[in-house]
Amino acid sequence: VIVDWPAGMRMQCYVFSAAFMVKEFLADQMYQIDPDFRPTKGQTVVDVGGHQGFFTALAASLVGPTGRVLTVEAFSDNFRVLKRNIEFNALSQVTLVEVAASDVSGEATFHVFREVTGGSLVLKPDGAGTVTVAQQRLDFILDQANIREVDLIKIDVEGACLKVLRGASLTLLSKPKLVMEVEGGETEVAKVRTHLEGLGYKIRRDGAILYARAHR
């Protein structure tokens, strides 16, 4: 299906993806509830777990042609739709990388959730299939893309948030803002919070979303 998107854009997606993505991003304004974490003109934004490009497109429209968005997506089915959406909307400020952001490099088993066209490096629900994907540290991904400083990182990786953060130790030295959907229950939320607080971040929670920024 094709969905009308902000800033005059149109997004292609699977019908079962549209059912929940439109609500999350347009009605609930997921990741945008706190205006301090909304991308602004000229910023560099990293979208980890880009799915089919919904957040990427919003971020690209907000940072404009003087900004930059780098999107990481591991699942090939999603990546094909993501790439088509970016090209269809002529978002030249977007760089796409087909890889799983993790804390190590090499190959990984990716557990596929067909009902939501996504998957995880760590969560293994009943009935999930598996595919092999490439994985790489976010520090390496950004270095290869010639990105030296980031303003905002969005992370939605179905339980692998801590892996992403551990693979971004150099990137986090400059204290970019972070907005993350942390799956895996309260234990996983606590691990992510402890890790970031140890790096000098202050955490605020809104449901399943964690907002992190450096202590002032």
Side-chain angles (χ1 to χ4, degrees):
V1 298
I2 296 178
V3 178
D4 289 330
W5 214 239
M9 293 183 290
R10 305 189 79 193
M11 301 292 289
Q12 302 175 48
C13 60
Y14 298 120
V15 64
F16 36 90
S17 299
F20 65 90
M21 285 297 182
V22 171
K23 179 181 184 298
E24 286 185 351
F25 284 93
L26 298 187
D28 299 340
Q29 293 198 332
M30 191 176 185
Y31 306 119
Q32 300 183 75
I33 294 173
D34 189 329
D36 287 340
F37 288 79
R38 185 179 175 87
T40 58
K41 185 177 179 180
Q43 285 189 331
T44 296
V45 176
V46 176
D47 182 1
V48 183
H51 198 251
Q52 293 167 15
F54 298 93
F55 179 83
T56 292
L58 286 173
S61 71
L62 293 170
V63 304
T66 62
R68 188 171 182 187
V69 179
L70 182 137
T71 300
V72 178
E73 172 57 44
F75 185 38
S76 60
D77 284 9
N78 282 339
F79 192 85
R80 283 192 293 270
V81 180
L82 166 65
K83 186 173 186 291
R84 193 159 60 236
N85 280 328
I86 299 311
E87 293 173 348
F88 184 72
N89 290 287
L91 299 174
S92 59
Q93 66 271 54
V94 176
T95 300
L96 304 178
V97 183
E98 188 176 0
V99 69
S102 186
D103 52 355
V104 295
S105 62
E107 292 187 338
T109 298
F110 191 75
H111 304 274
V112 178
F113 315 154
R114 294 288 177 183
E115 68 277 10
V116 294
T117 61
S120 174
L121 291 175
V122 296
L123 299 181
K124 307 172 185 178
D126 292 340
T130 61
V131 295
T132 299
V133 300
Q135 62 179 343
Q136 188 55 264
R137 292 171 58 87
L138 189 59
D139 286 337
F140 179 84
I141 296 168
L142 296 178
D143 181 68
Q144 292 295 293
N146 199 32
I147 294 177
R148 305 298 175 222
E149 191 167 325
V150 177
D151 297 292
L152 174 69
I153 302 175
K154 166 260 180 185
I155 304 173
D156 183 356
V157 288
E158 304 297 333
C161 187
L162 193 58
K163 280 182 169 289
V164 175
L165 296 172
R166 286 172 173 165
S169 55
L170 297 178
T171 302
L172 296 180
L173 289 176
S174 62
K175 296 298 184 291
K177 293 178 181 178
L178 307 170
V179 55
M180 304 155 285
E181 183 173 13
V182 182
E183 298 89 351
E186 294 302 317
T187 299
E188 193 65 22
V189 170
K191 289 179 181 178
V192 170
R193 182 187 290 271
T194 298
H195 181 79
L196 288 173
E197 288 176 342
L199 297 177
Y201 274 92
K202 181 179 180 180
I203 314 298
R204 185 177 71 80
R205 184 176 181 180
D206 190 328
I209 305 297
L210 294 185
Y211 295 92
R213 67 187 307 164
H215 277 291
R216 293 178 176 176

